[in-house]
Amino acid sequence: MKQTRFSIIQLIRHVVQAAAFLFLPELFITVLRALGQVVTDLTNGEFSIAAFSAQLITLAVIFLFSAVWGRVFCGYLCSFGALQELIFWISKKLFPKKPRIPTRLDQVLQYLKYLVLAFIVVGLWIMALPMDASLSPWGVFGMLISGNRSVMAAAVGTWGFVLLLAFLIGSFFTERLFCRYFCPLGALFTLISGKRGYKIQRDESACIHCGLCEKACGMGVSILKTDVVSSGRCIDCMQCLTVCPKECLSANPAPAVAGTAAAVAMCGLVQIGTLTVPENTATSGVYQFDTSETGNYVDGVYTGVGTGFRGDTQVQVTVEHGYITDITILSYEDDAE
């Protein structure tokens, strides 16, 4: 009976993953971008709560749930993580026996994601070091799943595409390779969820130390050495509970309720957050200038087109007395952000 309940939990998790992949494939990119915008503007002294209300709601909701429930975002909502899981699942069907990364090497590699996070925060967001966006593997991933043929074609051939391909190939041999060792958001969630309230309990008296739980853990969490799994590396996938033959692992409240409730709440509030910024602040801006002086630009009305993840955005710029006085979005096929 219990095994049936746990199989349902995995079914629910995979359904949520599939829905997130189809409808919110760029969510992890959105979260990273929102954090970057907040940090950059705080550094430059230009931060405004009103202007960044959507980003703040997004970050607050996701980080709050991570602090309480653990890395539900990684286990249920991250499309890149879901893709890595799928690749590894296919590889297990083709090659059941796989070499495991030695424990000491695994522990050392765990620090790589913190170095990546530090480089992004300090180097790119605070110091504003120049870096071509095509070098970002998660940016390229967003372009490839955009559905826009021109954007997808532009992504292929970049260094970011090469890095993305390397991570996906690596996921064929090591489950969630990018999540475990390189993901900057994973580094943040590991720190935030280390003291979470939702934890997996292990009954030592019933445990036969078969090791199936640790083999099933895609994040390499050490389960047999503790009675309470509180590691920030745990993504609440509940695979360890699923495979335990003695049912000595448990979690309360029910993982299915926690996972689905957190996923629905995250997605709903993220979407609500995008509606909090007044439309006029997002679509046009009016600037004041000194009419006694002349700016550097040639007067006139100019239009331009840029390509985003999901389509083109057409913008109109008005220049008067050499200054930009108005910027208006004429049309867009991309998402609001």
Short mmCIF file of all heavy atoms in Angstrom, two decimals, residues 7-20 75-76 82 85 89 237 239:
data_model
loop_
_atom_site.label_atom_id
_atom_site.label_comp_id
_atom_site.label_asym_id
_atom_site.label_seq_id
_atom_site.Cartn_x
_atom_site.Cartn_y
_atom_site.Cartn_z
N SER A 7 4.65 5.68 -5.41
CA SER A 7 4.70 5.74 -6.86
C SER A 7 3.81 6.87 -7.36
O SER A 7 4.11 7.51 -8.37
CB SER A 7 4.27 4.40 -7.47
OG SER A 7 2.91 4.11 -7.17
N ILE A 8 2.72 7.13 -6.67
CA ILE A 8 1.84 8.25 -7.02
C ILE A 8 2.56 9.57 -6.80
O ILE A 8 2.42 10.52 -7.59
CB ILE A 8 0.53 8.19 -6.21
CG1 ILE A 8 -0.29 6.98 -6.65
CG2 ILE A 8 -0.28 9.47 -6.38
CD1 ILE A 8 -1.56 6.77 -5.85
N ILE A 9 3.36 9.64 -5.73
CA ILE A 9 4.14 10.85 -5.47
C ILE A 9 5.07 11.14 -6.63
O ILE A 9 5.17 12.28 -7.09
CB ILE A 9 4.94 10.68 -4.16
CG1 ILE A 9 4.01 10.74 -2.96
CG2 ILE A 9 6.01 11.78 -4.04
CD1 ILE A 9 4.69 10.46 -1.65
N GLN A 10 5.75 10.12 -7.14
CA GLN A 10 6.64 10.33 -8.28
C GLN A 10 5.87 10.72 -9.53
O GLN A 10 6.32 11.56 -10.31
CB GLN A 10 7.47 9.06 -8.54
CG GLN A 10 8.45 8.72 -7.44
CD GLN A 10 9.40 9.86 -7.13
OE1 GLN A 10 9.88 10.56 -8.03
NE2 GLN A 10 9.67 10.08 -5.85
N LEU A 11 4.69 10.14 -9.71
CA LEU A 11 3.86 10.51 -10.85
C LEU A 11 3.48 11.98 -10.77
O LEU A 11 3.57 12.72 -11.77
CB LEU A 11 2.60 9.64 -10.88
CG LEU A 11 1.57 9.99 -11.97
CD1 LEU A 11 2.18 9.84 -13.34
CD2 LEU A 11 0.32 9.12 -11.82
N ILE A 12 3.06 12.43 -9.59
CA ILE A 12 2.69 13.83 -9.40
C ILE A 12 3.88 14.74 -9.68
O ILE A 12 3.77 15.77 -10.35
CB ILE A 12 2.14 14.07 -7.98
CG1 ILE A 12 0.80 13.36 -7.81
CG2 ILE A 12 1.99 15.57 -7.69
CD1 ILE A 12 0.25 13.43 -6.40
N ARG A 13 5.05 14.35 -9.17
CA ARG A 13 6.24 15.18 -9.37
C ARG A 13 6.59 15.31 -10.85
O ARG A 13 6.90 16.40 -11.34
CB ARG A 13 7.43 14.57 -8.62
CG ARG A 13 8.66 15.49 -8.60
CD ARG A 13 9.73 14.94 -7.70
NE ARG A 13 10.47 13.87 -8.32
CZ ARG A 13 11.59 14.05 -9.05
NH1 ARG A 13 12.07 15.27 -9.23
NH2 ARG A 13 12.22 13.02 -9.57
N HIS A 14 6.50 14.21 -11.57
CA HIS A 14 6.84 14.26 -13.00
C HIS A 14 5.80 15.05 -13.79
O HIS A 14 6.14 15.70 -14.78
CB HIS A 14 6.98 12.84 -13.55
CG HIS A 14 8.14 12.09 -12.97
ND1 HIS A 14 9.35 12.69 -12.69
CD2 HIS A 14 8.26 10.78 -12.59
CE1 HIS A 14 10.18 11.79 -12.19
NE2 HIS A 14 9.54 10.62 -12.10
N VAL A 15 4.54 14.99 -13.37
CA VAL A 15 3.51 15.79 -14.04
C VAL A 15 3.78 17.28 -13.82
O VAL A 15 3.68 18.10 -14.76
CB VAL A 15 2.10 15.42 -13.51
CG1 VAL A 15 1.07 16.45 -13.97
CG2 VAL A 15 1.71 14.02 -13.99
N VAL A 16 4.14 17.65 -12.59
CA VAL A 16 4.47 19.04 -12.29
C VAL A 16 5.70 19.47 -13.09
O VAL A 16 5.75 20.57 -13.64
CB VAL A 16 4.72 19.23 -10.78
CG1 VAL A 16 5.22 20.64 -10.49
CG2 VAL A 16 3.43 18.98 -10.00
N GLN A 17 6.71 18.60 -13.17
CA GLN A 17 7.90 18.92 -13.95
C GLN A 17 7.57 19.14 -15.42
O GLN A 17 8.07 20.08 -16.05
CB GLN A 17 8.93 17.78 -13.83
CG GLN A 17 9.67 17.74 -12.51
CD GLN A 17 10.67 16.61 -12.48
OE1 GLN A 17 10.34 15.44 -12.72
NE2 GLN A 17 11.92 16.92 -12.18
N ALA A 18 6.72 18.27 -15.97
CA ALA A 18 6.34 18.41 -17.38
C ALA A 18 5.57 19.70 -17.61
O ALA A 18 5.80 20.40 -18.61
CB ALA A 18 5.50 17.20 -17.80
N ALA A 19 4.66 20.04 -16.70
CA ALA A 19 3.89 21.27 -16.83
C ALA A 19 4.80 22.49 -16.76
O ALA A 19 4.65 23.45 -17.53
CB ALA A 19 2.82 21.33 -15.74
N ALA A 20 5.77 22.46 -15.83
CA ALA A 20 6.71 23.57 -15.69
C ALA A 20 7.57 23.70 -16.95
O ALA A 20 7.87 24.81 -17.40
CB ALA A 20 7.59 23.38 -14.46
N GLY A 75 13.55 20.46 -7.51
CA GLY A 75 13.01 19.13 -7.71
C GLY A 75 11.73 19.07 -8.52
O GLY A 75 11.39 18.02 -9.07
N TYR A 76 11.02 20.21 -8.62
CA TYR A 76 9.71 20.20 -9.26
C TYR A 76 9.57 21.19 -10.42
O TYR A 76 8.85 20.92 -11.38
CB TYR A 76 8.62 20.50 -8.24
CG TYR A 76 8.41 19.41 -7.22
CD1 TYR A 76 9.27 19.26 -6.16
CD2 TYR A 76 7.35 18.51 -7.33
CE1 TYR A 76 9.11 18.25 -5.22
CE2 TYR A 76 7.17 17.50 -6.40
CZ TYR A 76 8.05 17.38 -5.34
OH TYR A 76 7.88 16.38 -4.43
N ALA A 82 14.85 19.04 -14.87
CA ALA A 82 13.99 17.98 -15.38
C ALA A 82 14.59 17.34 -16.63
O ALA A 82 14.53 16.11 -16.81
CB ALA A 82 12.60 18.54 -15.68
N GLU A 85 17.36 15.03 -15.62
CA GLU A 85 16.79 13.80 -15.08
C GLU A 85 16.36 12.85 -16.20
O GLU A 85 16.58 11.64 -16.14
CB GLU A 85 15.59 14.11 -14.18
CG GLU A 85 15.95 14.45 -12.76
CD GLU A 85 14.72 14.44 -11.86
OE1 GLU A 85 13.74 13.75 -12.18
OE2 GLU A 85 14.76 15.14 -10.84
N TRP A 89 17.76 9.16 -16.95
CA TRP A 89 16.82 8.02 -16.94
C TRP A 89 16.98 7.19 -18.20
O TRP A 89 16.99 5.96 -18.15
CB TRP A 89 15.39 8.54 -16.80
CG TRP A 89 14.36 7.46 -16.82
CD1 TRP A 89 13.98 6.66 -15.78
CD2 TRP A 89 13.58 7.03 -17.95
NE1 TRP A 89 13.00 5.77 -16.18
CE2 TRP A 89 12.74 5.97 -17.51
CE3 TRP A 89 13.50 7.45 -19.27
CZ2 TRP A 89 11.85 5.34 -18.36
CZ3 TRP A 89 12.61 6.80 -20.13
CH2 TRP A 89 11.80 5.77 -19.67
N CYS A 237 12.95 15.21 -3.99
CA CYS A 237 12.40 14.37 -5.06
C CYS A 237 11.73 13.11 -4.50
O CYS A 237 10.94 12.47 -5.18
CB CYS A 237 13.50 13.99 -6.05
SG CYS A 237 14.76 12.88 -5.37
N GLN A 239 12.84 10.21 -4.06
CA GLN A 239 13.26 8.94 -4.66
C GLN A 239 13.75 7.97 -3.59
O GLN A 239 13.55 6.75 -3.71
CB GLN A 239 14.39 9.19 -5.68
CG GLN A 239 13.95 9.93 -6.92
CD GLN A 239 13.20 9.04 -7.90
OE1 GLN A 239 12.90 7.88 -7.62
NE2 GLN A 239 12.87 9.58 -9.06
#
